[in-house]
Amino acid sequence: MTKKIYLLQIMITVLVTLLSFPFNTIAQQWGLYTLYATKNGTQAYLIDTANTPVVYKTWTFPSTAKNAYSTYLIPGDTLVRTSTYKATGAPGSGGVTGKIQKVRWDGTVVWEMTYSSTTTQMHHDILPMPNGNVMFISYETKTATQATQAGSSSASTFYSEKIVEVKPTGVGTNSANWGYTVVWEWKLWDHLCQNYNSAKDNYVTSIVDNPQLLNINYTGSGSLPDRYHMNGLDYNAQLNQIVCSMHFMNSVFIIDHSTTTAEAAGHTGGVSGKGGDFLYRWGNPASYGASGTTIFNTIHDAHWVSSDNSLYPNYLCGYNNQGGTGGKTAIDVWNPPYNGNNYTLTAGQASPSTYAYQYNSAFTATNEGNSQQLPNGNMLVNNAFGNIYEVNSAGTTLWTKTAASSSHAYRYTKCYVRGPIVTASTSESSVCLGDSVTLNSNAVSVTEASPTYTYEWSSGETSQNPVVVPSANTVYTVTITNTAIGCSSTASVSVNVLSAPAIPVVTQNLNSLISTVANSYQWYQDGVLINGETNQSLDVLTDGQYQVEITDINGCTAISTPFSFIYSSINSNLSNESLEVYPNPTSGLINFDGNNLFNIIITNAFGTVVATSENINSFDLSNYSNGIYYLAITSKEGKVTNKKIILIK
């Protein structure tokens, strides 16, 4: 018994020791495929990090479309890549791109755009957006005159910066139809400050009190005309914010993307309420006149750490090219002071310059490069002019690809790359309450030869195209699994349920049935449709169960409860056919020309009795409202004659 207790204590000690290690210090590789595109080359590769052959997929491009900076693989097995294009006289040199392409798995270019002129030049990073748009950085040339008016102490040309979001058009069509629409734009030139000349634009008395603006006269590590040199972009969908890195400012900036383009040019508006001003900046307090440690010595690849990262979820990260120990490249991760959609800042002071984690590499990449913080705590590190490798949180190298020479590299899971491409749709986007709708789904697996699929809808159906009867507005999500490789993808579709109109009420007026008001009508007798009876009222000639089905403006229907109509003697004993009532229409006085008049009942169009009389030859309606009136005239013998009179005064 003592021996068992001793063994149990050993097991507990081992377990506690393992748990006391930093999380994931013994982690294995994460994901499966690494994407990189050779810098200034004509190929992009997906490397299988765990199997052979090592190269899983190769894309080859023409020499006229060489790799320029960043390449991404987006859901749907499509590359979004930059390539080189520069118009004559366009600004800029280092990091110039100029062209964006979307390239399918089979190498087909399905969309392309260029952005280069004598005053603009796309350069460095791009950002594929969740909605299919693409965001990019562009130089924007400002003349010496414009710079002086903006408060520059140097009468020189400036290569200012802007961020442009475009919606691709003509995707998948003939190249003659490719194009784009600018849907959002932010310009650095709209968010400058200076305390050099109070007679010029952008003047403020204190630079340090305006960290939301960039001091046009701060030199940084660059030189005119290229004083700023943006190079990295990332997007946080939850915050709807953009983070960018700026090389010669050695800083990272966050911008509100919820603004309109007009608001982005100003200082108010958007969810954060600050227009296009910087919500937060970090890395170089001197750039806005604050004291504090300069973190970055050449900054690239500003991005958010993904929310599913086990160590630093939603932190910010920068590629510190020469800012690590001994001037080596470092990866810096820090937690910004979130305050809702804003950030907590102390007026006149720099943001805290401490980072949560710094990884110091053994190399120095003086320019470019990137990192990716993986969900299990590992990290992919890309030396833009050397190797790509994966390390765990203890710094142990788990995988290496030598001589890659790529500006950016990214790791993806097997199912991200090889999972089915799933779409969902419906036979009707809006249905009336109680009506059915067919849910449609489809899957394509471009990487797999013989995919086999299973289907699972959020409503519980397991067929590919089920029929459902929604009782309220519903979002239906389908999960389609390629069972051969165990990879799933989802798609969703919404069905809007329209309320049914109120059940119509049928009333009787003598031998007519009248429905409450609707958009259209259809009458039924004993459950059988009566052809041609589509008015609000129905003249009835036989006994039966009558119903009216109404349709509202949305096309939704409702049917009345059966109305029992008995064709009684009041309607059938019409022997007094010789009786005449005149004039008709009348302005008031009506005359009766017939024999044996005995009893008269006068009702209005709604069936309400308005008058009764006996043994008369005339009656005056002039005190009643214009409209239709019905007369039921009963003789002494009990014979009934019905007449309709129109009163027009």
Side-chain angles (χ1 to χ4, degrees):
M1 191 69 171
T2 304
K3 193 177 293 185
K4 289 183 179 180
I5 294 174
Y6 178 69
L7 289 173
L8 179 60
Q9 288 175 333
I10 292 176
M11 292 172 65
I12 293 173
T13 301
V14 171
L15 179 60
V16 170
T17 302
L18 289 173
L19 292 175
S20 67
F21 275 84
F23 187 65
N24 285 313
T25 57
I26 56 173
Q28 299 301 306
Q29 283 182 233
W30 182 88
L32 185 59
Y33 298 110
T34 298
L35 173 71
Y36 73 93
T38 51
K39 186 173 176 61
N40 296 318
T42 57
Q43 291 182 313
Y45 303 94
L46 267 180
I47 301 299
D48 190 330
T49 64
N51 301 293
T52 56
V54 172
V55 178
Y56 178 73
K57 171 68 179 176
T58 302
W59 290 266
T60 300
F61 313 109
S63 59
T64 55
K66 292 181 178 180
N67 300 317
Y69 195 78
S70 49
T71 298
Y72 298 90
L73 182 64
I74 63 172
D77 299 304
T78 298
L79 288 182
V80 184
R81 64 182 294 264
T82 57
S83 65
T84 53
Y85 174 81
K86 190 175 184 182
T88 302
S93 54
V96 162
T97 56
K99 182 184 292 185
I100 302 174
Q101 290 183 332
K102 288 191 174 186
V103 184
R104 286 191 179 141
W105 186 262
D106 63 3
T108 302
V109 178
V110 294
W111 177 74
E112 179 178 285
M113 69 164 289
T114 58
Y115 199 86
S116 180
S117 69
T118 55
T119 59
T120 62
Q121 176 63 50
M122 184 195 305
H123 66 98
H124 286 86
D125 204 6
I126 60 172
L127 181 58
M129 300 291 283
N131 60 1
N133 293 350
V134 183
M135 192 173 288
F136 59 85
I137 303 165
S138 174
Y139 288 121
E140 184 180 45
T141 301
K142 298 296 180 181
T143 65
T145 300
Q146 289 173 310
T148 300
Q149 182 60 39
S152 172
S153 59
S154 174
S156 173
T157 298
F158 273 66
Y159 293 165
S160 187
E161 299 281 8
K162 63 178 179 177
I163 300 172
V164 184
E165 181 182 355
V166 298
K167 178 181 180 179
T169 58
V171 177
T173 63
N174 185 282
S175 60
N177 296 318
W178 292 341
Y180 64 88
T181 302
V182 175
V183 296
W184 187 82
E185 195 169 51
W186 174 91
K187 297 182 178 182
L188 177 63
W189 205 252
D190 295 324
H191 304 283
L192 302 175
C193 67
Q194 54 91 12
N195 60 356
Y196 170 72
N197 189 337
S198 61
K200 299 298 182 181
D201 298 341
N202 307 309
Y203 181 78
V204 296
T205 57
S206 170
I207 299 296
V208 73
D209 288 333
N210 289 277
Q212 77 279 8
L213 304 172
L214 189 68
N215 181 6
I216 190 174
N217 293 314
Y218 178 74
T219 302
S221 58
S223 58
L224 292 173
D226 194 2
R227 175 170 284 182
Y228 307 119
H229 208 75
M230 281 187 177
N231 52 38
L233 282 178
D234 194 25
Y235 176 66
N236 188 312
Q238 183 177 0
L239 296 173
N240 200 4
Q241 294 175 1
I242 299 163
V243 65
C244 62
S245 47
M246 203 177 295
H247 182 154
F248 297 137
M249 296 291 104
N250 283 309
S251 298
V252 166
F253 302 88
I254 291 179
I255 302 163
D256 191 349
H257 179 255
S258 71
T259 58
T260 64
T261 295
E263 289 172 335
H267 312 290
T268 60
V271 173
S272 298
K274 297 184 178 180
D277 286 348
F278 303 132
L279 303 180
Y280 173 72
R281 64 197 293 174
W282 196 82
N284 182 11
S287 65
Y288 54 104
S291 59
T293 304
T294 298
I295 300 295
F296 296 121
N297 184 353
T298 306
I299 167 70
H300 284 80
D301 183 43
H303 66 270
W304 272 279
V305 179
S306 63
S307 60
D308 61 354
N309 183 270
S310 60
L311 299 179
Y312 306 109
N314 299 312
Y315 283 41
L316 286 171
C317 181
Y319 193 87
N320 199 347
N321 289 80
Q322 300 170 86
T325 303
K328 301 295 185 182
T329 295
I331 311 296
D332 295 331
V333 177
W334 72 99
N335 191 18
Y338 291 113
N339 182 13
N341 284 86
N342 281 291
Y343 299 81
T344 300
L345 303 173
T346 302
Q349 296 182 19
S351 298
S353 58
T354 55
Y355 39 74
Y357 172 74
Q358 183 177 71
Y359 168 79
N360 282 280
S361 74
F363 63 86
T364 300
T366 56
N367 271 299
E368 302 187 11
N370 79 301
S371 71
Q372 181 185 5
Q373 289 63 47
L374 305 173
N376 70 342
N378 292 357
M379 182 165 59
L380 193 71
V381 180
N382 175 38
N383 177 357
F385 301 93
N387 300 339
I388 306 168
Y389 60 94
E390 179 184 359
V391 296
N392 63 18
S393 59
T396 303
T397 301
L398 305 177
W399 172 87
T400 302
K401 170 60 183 173
T402 60
S405 187
S406 176
S407 297
H408 278 209
Y410 295 97
R411 176 68 57 80
Y412 302 101
T413 64
K414 179 184 77 171
C415 290
Y416 185 96
V417 173
R418 298 170 60 183
I421 304 166
V422 174
T423 56
S425 61
T426 61
S427 58
E428 300 287 343
S429 60
S430 295
V431 296
C432 299
L433 183 65
D435 288 351
S436 63
V437 61
T438 301
L439 305 176
N440 302 305
S441 67
N442 188 55
V444 176
S445 293
V446 298
T447 65
E448 309 305 308
S450 302
T452 56
Y453 299 123
T454 60
Y455 306 85
E456 184 176 351
W457 290 87
S458 55
S459 53
E461 287 80 9
T462 56
S463 62
Q464 181 179 1
N465 303 312
V467 176
V468 296
V469 182
S471 59
N473 294 347
T474 306
V475 176
Y476 293 94
T477 299
V478 62
T479 300
I480 302 181
T481 302
N482 182 345
T483 57
I485 59 174
C487 290
S488 303
S489 296
T490 64
S492 297
V493 65
S494 298
V495 178
N496 183 35
V497 177
L498 303 171
S499 299
I503 295 175
V505 176
V506 175
T507 56
Q508 180 181 353
N509 181 25
L510 300 178
N511 65 336
S512 294
L513 299 179
I514 303 169
S515 169
T516 47
V517 177
N519 197 54
S520 64
Y521 313 86
Q522 175 61 59
W523 289 91
Y524 293 80
Q525 180 180 3
D526 299 326
V528 178
L529 181 146
I530 307 174
N531 288 325
E533 294 297 345
T534 56
N535 294 321
Q536 184 179 358
S537 63
L538 173 71
D539 291 333
V540 182
L541 299 176
T542 59
D543 296 350
Q545 299 285 318
Y546 289 88
Q547 292 174 276
V548 64
E549 183 180 56
I550 63 168
T551 304
D552 66 13
I553 195 171
N554 294 318
C556 296
T557 62
I559 193 164
S560 66
T561 57
F563 186 96
S564 297
F565 186 91
I566 300 175
Y567 201 68
S568 64
S569 60
I570 193 170
N571 301 301
S572 58
N573 299 327
L574 302 177
S575 63
N576 214 355
E577 293 298 333
S578 61
L579 175 65
E580 293 185 14
V581 180
Y582 62 91
N584 191 15
T586 179
S587 60
L589 186 66
I590 54 175
N591 300 300
F592 303 98
D593 185 6
N595 298 320
N596 301 320
L597 290 177
F598 182 73
N599 186 46
I600 299 173
I601 300 174
I602 303 176
T603 59
N604 61 19
F606 301 102
T608 303
V609 176
V610 298
T612 61
S613 187
E614 295 181 359
N615 298 322
I616 60 172
N617 292 314
S618 63
F619 189 86
D620 189 1
L621 292 172
S622 59
N623 290 327
Y624 298 94
S625 301
N626 288 340
I628 297 174
Y629 292 86
Y630 296 93
L631 281 65
I633 305 169
T634 307
S635 69
K636 293 180 180 179
E637 293 81 16
K639 305 299 183 179
V640 178
T641 299
N642 291 310
K643 296 292 183 178
K644 181 171 73 173
I645 295 294
I646 300 174
L647 174 63
I648 304 176
K649 294 185 288 184

